[in-house]
Amino acid sequence: MEFLGYLVTGAAAGTLAGLFGVGGGLIIVPALIFAFTLLGLSPEYITHLAVGTSLATIIPTSLSSTFTHHKNGNVFWPGVKLLAPGIMVGAWLGVTVAIQLSSAALQMVIGIGAIVIGLRIFLSKKGESGNQGALPAPPLMFSGGTLIGLVSAIFGIGGGSLTVPFLTRFGMGMKWAVGTSAACGVPIAIMGAIANIVLGDKIEGLPELSSGLVYWPAFAGIVLMSVPFARVGARLAHRLPAVVLRRLFACLLFAVGLKFILGS
């Protein structure tokens, strides 16, 4: 029954990853917290273990989603190259913060921000044409990537809820932004997972079959379903009208914001 729950979580997370350019952590983290609580794991590290495991599962999910978006011509690779260095620095810093500090206040800030950004995207008429847009200067891209990586690593997400608004803010079309965001989820997940394994290795009392703050049974169950379903979501994103995709993404941000606010 435990493994079945991981499979269902993986299917839902994979679909979201492909459809919206997120890593699926928006579903994975709360689902794993619930599962780990039922297993009787220590509440002292349940949230951290859920975040670390989520980031690890996002690696193959984002790769699968990115491959499909690339085939559809929706990944702007120059933007990925500019964001990736800052993203990796921010991801390591984010794990460091998550392990040492309480994230309640930051959850509230991100929750409010997600709702504000979601409302703006829902009402905006930009981003319907699918243009690549004009990216800001490299220093701003590095700073933006660092913030995206930092926040994403703290919450165990692929960064789509931050990367997509960041890119559309500079005129990138929604489908381009979703595909590029999916590609940016790969360095977030890789660096975040490595940091959770390395920095989490010093935590005592973690369950067997885990490496630091990554629990491998949950990883296996989620990845089995998230990878194929990420391709399904990416195909849907390519076929849906941009206005529909934008509004669906805005609704997802509303849900994320409420979850962060109510959970803080």
Side-chain angles (χ1 to χ4, degrees), residues 56-130:
T57 66
I58 289 171
I59 297 174
T61 304
S62 291
L63 286 171
S64 175
S65 177
T66 300
F67 176 74
T68 304
H69 281 295
H70 175 70
K71 286 179 60 178
N72 292 330
N74 291 334
V75 179
F76 185 48
W77 289 108
V80 177
K81 292 179 181 178
L82 286 174
L83 282 171
I87 279 175
M88 298 181 76
V89 171
W92 187 278
L93 293 175
V95 175
T96 302
V97 171
I99 289 178
Q100 296 180 354
L101 303 174
S102 169
S103 60
L106 185 56
Q107 282 189 26
M108 179 65 73
V109 172
I110 297 301
I112 295 173
I115 292 175
V116 171
I117 293 171
L119 182 62
R120 181 173 181 178
I121 291 176
F122 189 87
L123 298 176
S124 174
K125 294 184 179 180
K126 294 182 179 180
E128 297 183 11
S129 64

Side-chain angles (χ1 to χ4, degrees), residues 3 19 34 38 77 87-88 101 103 126 131-132 137 148 193 231 255 260-261:
F3 196 71
L19 185 58
F34 178 74
L38 292 180
W77 289 108
I87 279 175
M88 298 181 76
L101 303 174
S103 60
K126 294 182 179 180
N131 294 327
Q132 295 175 7
I148 290 169
R231 296 176 182 174
F260 281 156
I261 292 172

Side-chain angles (χ1 to χ4, degrees), residues 164-241:
V164 171
F166 178 78
L167 294 174
T168 56
R169 168 66 179 80
F170 296 99
M172 183 175 287
M174 188 62 180
K175 291 184 179 180
W176 277 93
V178 168
T180 305
S181 171
C184 288
V186 177
I188 290 174
I190 291 177
M191 185 59 71
I194 292 174
N196 272 286
I197 291 174
V198 174
L199 300 177
D201 189 57
K202 300 177 182 179
I203 299 177
E204 298 181 357
L206 292 172
E208 295 182 3
L209 302 179
S210 67
S211 297
L213 291 169
V214 175
Y215 185 52
W216 295 114
F219 169 87
I222 291 173
V223 168
L224 280 175
M225 299 298 287
S226 66
V227 171
F229 274 85
R231 296 176 182 174
V232 173
R235 293 191 188 101
L236 288 174
H238 183 66
R239 295 175 182 176
L240 285 174

Side-chain angles (χ1 to χ4, degrees), residues 1-13 28 31-37 39 41 49 53 57 215-226:
M1 185 62 69
E2 173 192 347
F3 196 71
L4 178 61
Y6 297 147
L7 293 175
V8 173
T9 300
I28 295 173
L32 286 180
I33 291 174
F34 178 74
F36 294 160
T37 300
L39 290 175
L41 300 183
L49 193 65
T53 304
T57 66
Y215 185 52
W216 295 114
F219 169 87
I222 291 173
V223 168
L224 280 175
M225 299 298 287
S226 66

